[in-house]
């Protein structure tokens, strides 16, 4: 990053770094809200302002983090599809760069998180629904059992409807159809 700052005064560099740090902190706090650690959010923020790919060693030095922590952070960002591993000419080391499309980052991040939660929750609901129906069928003459299981079944059916809707929402993010309803700014 030092090369890009050549020709700037000390005051200009300080002002630029202060502005960037504010954005980096904001990115870190925002990602922390969604279950990504603050340090990984800061890692993404620092990479966001890089104008070229960076190695683990370089990022470790920039952020003062151990290589192990840095590797874990990079892996997390790659799993979330927020950074890519790229080829570095003349080097055997892995280089990384930010995926610059924030719309795509949002889509990938939430699709991954939401889909995992939806699948898990739907599996639990389906299992419970099956058990409740079996319980009801086990004693069809028991009025209290029939009443309470009917209420529970309706609640679970409504929850499943919600999760199917959420699946369609996730699909609309992944396909890009969401942007027909809420267009990106140009």
């Amino acid at each position: 990053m030092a090369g890009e700052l050549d020709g700037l005064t000390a005051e200009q560099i300080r002002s630029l770094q202060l502005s960037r740090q504010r954005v980096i902190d904001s990115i870190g706090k925002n990602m922390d809200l969604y279950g990504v650690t603050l340090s990984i959010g800061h890692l993404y923020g620092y990479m966001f302002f890089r104008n070229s790919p960076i190695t683990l060693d370089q990022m470790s030095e920039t952020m003062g983090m151990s290589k192990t922590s840095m590797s874990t952070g990079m892996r997390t960002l790659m799993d979330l599809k927020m950074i890519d591993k790229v080829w570095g000419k003349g080097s055997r080391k892995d280089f990384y760069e930010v995926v610059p499309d924030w719309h795509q980052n949002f889509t990938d991040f939430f699709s991954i998180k939401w889909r995992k939660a939806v699948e898990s929750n739907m599996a639990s609901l389906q299992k419970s629904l099956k058990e409740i129906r079996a319980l009801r069928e086990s004693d069809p003459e028991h009025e209290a059992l029939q009443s309470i299981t009917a209420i529970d079944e309706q609640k679970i059916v409504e929850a499943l409807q919600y999760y199917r809707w959420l699946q369609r929402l996730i699909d609309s993010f992944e396909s890009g159809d969401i942007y027909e309803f809420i267009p990106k700014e140009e």
Side-chain angles (χ1 to χ4, degrees):
M1 234 184 333
E4 76 175 4
L5 303 179
D6 291 347
L8 299 181
T9 66
E11 179 58 30
Q12 290 168 332
I13 291 170
R14 191 191 68 69
S15 181
L16 179 65
Q17 288 174 333
L18 184 64
S19 294
R20 286 179 173 182
Q21 189 60 50
R22 188 176 302 109
V23 173
I24 291 165
D25 289 341
S26 177
I27 288 170
K29 288 175 188 172
N30 187 51
M31 289 177 70
D32 187 52
L33 289 173
Y34 300 109
V36 176
T37 66
L38 187 62
S39 63
I40 292 175
H42 286 158
L43 171 60
Y44 178 83
Y46 280 107
M47 291 182 69
F48 176 72
F49 283 109
R50 290 283 306 188
N51 295 318
S52 59
I54 191 166
T55 66
L56 282 176
D57 291 334
Q58 291 170 316
M59 274 311 294
S60 183
E61 186 178 312
T62 297
M63 293 192 62
M65 291 173 66
S66 71
K67 269 184 90 168
T68 303
S69 295
M70 188 59 56
S71 180
T72 300
M74 293 293 218
R75 195 171 326 109
T76 298
L77 291 172
M78 284 186 61
D79 289 346
L80 294 171
K81 300 180 182 179
M82 296 181 75
I83 64 170
D84 286 327
K85 190 183 293 191
V86 295
W87 178 73
K89 185 177 179 179
S91 177
R92 291 181 167 190
K93 293 186 178 200
D94 292 329
F95 284 81
Y96 302 88
E97 67 183 0
V98 163
V99 174
D101 183 343
W102 282 35
H103 294 91
Q104 190 62 49
N105 287 342
F106 175 86
T107 295
D108 290 340
F109 178 81
F110 280 101
S111 294
I112 290 165
K113 295 286 188 183
W114 284 345
R115 196 165 299 282
K116 192 181 302 182
V118 166
E119 289 169 0
S120 173
N121 292 343
M122 284 186 79
S124 295
L125 288 166
Q126 292 286 8
K127 182 177 182 180
S128 292
L129 185 60
K130 186 177 177 181
E131 292 168 351
I132 285 172
R133 287 176 175 164
L135 182 58
R136 179 182 305 135
E137 291 170 12
S138 73
D139 194 351
E141 302 304 319
H142 194 287
E143 286 184 32
L145 178 65
Q146 294 302 308
S147 177
I148 193 72
T149 55
I151 292 169
D152 284 3
E153 179 177 357
Q154 183 58 36
K155 289 178 180 182
I156 292 171
V157 165
E158 289 171 4
L160 286 166
Q161 290 170 342
Y162 163 74
Y163 283 114
R164 285 191 296 273
W165 172 85
L166 190 52
Q167 284 178 319
R168 292 193 326 270
L169 178 63
I170 295 165
D171 292 344
S172 76
F173 275 102
E174 291 175 343
S175 69
D177 290 346
I178 189 72
Y179 301 116
E180 292 176 22
F181 301 102
I182 307 170
K184 296 177 186 179
E185 288 188 27
E186 296 299 321

